[in-house]
Amino acid sequence: MSAKAWHIGVIGGSGLTEGVGLDNAQQIAVDSPFGAPSGPVTQGTINGVKFTFLARHGAGHVIPPDAINYRANIDVMKRCGVTDLVSLSAIGSLREEFAPGHFITVDQLIDRTQGREGSFFGTGMVAHVSLADPTCPRLRELLALSAHQCGAVVHPRGCYIAIQGPQFSTRAESVMYRQWGADVIGMTAMPEARLAREAELPYAILGMVTDYDAWREEEEGVVASEVFATMKANGDMAKAALRHLADLLPPERPASPIDTVLDHAFATAPAKRDPHVVAMLDAVAGRALRNS
Ligand SMILES: CSC[C@H]1O[C@H](OP(=O)(O)O)[C@H](O)[C@@H]1O
Ligand SMILES: Nc1ncnc2[nH]cnc12
């Protein structure tokens, strides 16, 4: 496959609903067959690199984690021509060494969410992609380097457990998640990461530690207003890391194995595919469907 230009999608989480400061920014409403995304996207450039931004919880943070239309959000990113997707997320820490104010580029995920639409595929068009490594190492390393060079304390790896929310965890859950091997906790990376993989989008999470969750007995539980205050204090660093990412990208984007994961994923025989389902997959899977 020949190299193409980078187009970085950014899904901004808590405390980052107002964008990341793109040059020549333009707001565009993009429709999706999967329903309404969290809002219009903002497109612009940084250092000549194209960026598309979407506020995960909508303008003014009106959509809770369990009501986000993750499918529409990822579909819209794909429809815009995004090649690589960055999630900016507020996260709780399950480890002493990941202190509030620190950043982490997550590599692994555990899914404890329930009842969220977790796949673009289904009856009439079945597909199975590997999620063994749910985040993209190349994008993760670039993001970690970028945040580090901007002066952030960055942990290059960690396992994120996605809980259903909207309540924060009990102390017993928090202790159990530590025993499971989770390092940080949030409410949104799943099914976002699953869907990004199905859409052949390399995905990486730049998490900003906002609190110590509930496992430390000497501390009060999590207070949302404190999470937002920490985010406010660190939001500029996240934006700086994104801007600097544009400087670190090589001029051409080498192909990633994630660009073509659907080539080996389809289970349904071509003659048995439901044309209505296939039509909805035009952006997410059009490339692979045309070749299969
Ligand atoms: C305001 S704290 C809880 C909220 O923050 C995180 O959101 P995001 O991942 O979009 O930054 C967490 O997942 C919860 O949705
Ligand atoms: N402790 C926590 N649990 C879940 N989501 C979070 N987002 C920020 N802090 C969090």
Side-chain angles (χ1 to χ4, degrees):
M1 184 183 284
S2 61
K4 52 185 171 181
W6 298 89
H7 180 164
I8 307 295
V10 181
I11 301 188
S14 296
L16 283 161
T17 54
E18 266 146 46
V20 286
L22 302 180
D23 303 330
N24 309 308
Q26 265 196 312
Q27 221 176 54
I28 307 164
V30 183
D31 291 334
S32 165
F34 294 94
S38 296
V41 299
T42 304
Q43 292 197 315
T45 57
I46 301 174
N47 193 23
V49 177
K50 201 163 179 187
F51 278 71
T52 294
F53 174 85
L54 176 63
R56 181 182 285 122
H57 301 276
H61 200 128
V62 291
I63 312 171
D66 53 304
I68 290 167
N69 189 340
Y70 294 94
R71 290 200 302 183
N73 287 355
I74 299 291
D75 176 72
V76 156
M77 284 289 171
K78 192 76 185 178
R79 241 164 245 288
C80 288
V82 160
T83 58
D84 297 81
L85 186 58
V86 174
S87 157
L88 300 177
S89 259
I91 51 174
S93 170
L94 300 172
R95 305 280 160 210
E96 195 72 51
E97 62 273 26
F98 296 172
H102 290 190
F103 284 64
I104 175 170
T105 43
V106 169
D107 65 325
Q108 274 298 328
L109 292 161
I110 298 173
D111 193 355
R112 284 264 300 168
T113 66
Q114 304 134 34
R116 303 182 183 185
E117 295 282 5
S119 177
F120 289 109
F121 299 94
T123 306
M125 186 62 220
V126 181
H128 305 280
V129 296
S130 168
L131 213 57
D133 298 301
T135 58
C136 167
R138 175 171 78 188
L139 192 56
R140 192 177 72 227
E141 282 164 22
L142 282 164
L143 265 179
L145 179 65
S146 178
H148 169 73
Q149 289 186 349
C150 288
V153 178
V154 187
H155 302 273
R157 281 169 180 273
C159 177
Y160 172 126
I161 185 161
I163 60 166
Q164 176 69 356
Q167 302 86 0
F168 295 110
S169 306
T170 66
R171 289 193 196 278
E173 287 166 335
S174 196
V175 168
M176 180 177 76
Y177 298 151
R178 278 164 54 80
Q179 287 166 358
W180 287 0
D183 301 304
V184 294
I185 185 165
M187 303 177 193
T188 59
M190 288 294 206
E192 202 169 83
R194 295 179 185 286
L195 296 164
R197 179 57 52 85
E198 285 190 345
E200 300 186 325
L201 283 175
Y203 175 83
I205 300 170
L206 182 62
M208 288 152 280
V209 179
T210 53
D211 56 85
Y212 270 119
D213 204 51
W215 57 275
R216 285 163 124 218
E217 279 178 16
E218 69 276 18
E219 284 204 23
E220 294 290 313
V222 189
V223 180
S225 56
E226 290 170 10
V227 170
F228 284 113
T230 310
M231 280 302 298
K232 200 162 187 235
N234 291 289
D236 285 347
M237 180 65 86
K239 290 178 198 171
L242 265 187
R243 291 194 74 83
H244 187 46
L245 176 68
D247 303 327
L248 296 179
L249 295 173
E252 289 210 324
R253 177 188 181 277
S256 157
I258 300 168
D259 299 343
T260 50
V261 283
L262 289 178
D263 284 352
H264 313 287
F266 297 149
T268 308
K272 292 285 186 182
R273 293 175 187 171
D274 179 334
H276 174 67
V277 180
V278 168
M280 289 174 72
L281 293 165
D282 62 330
V284 160
R287 183 206 66 76
L289 283 165
R290 280 189 293 278
N291 292 340
S292 71

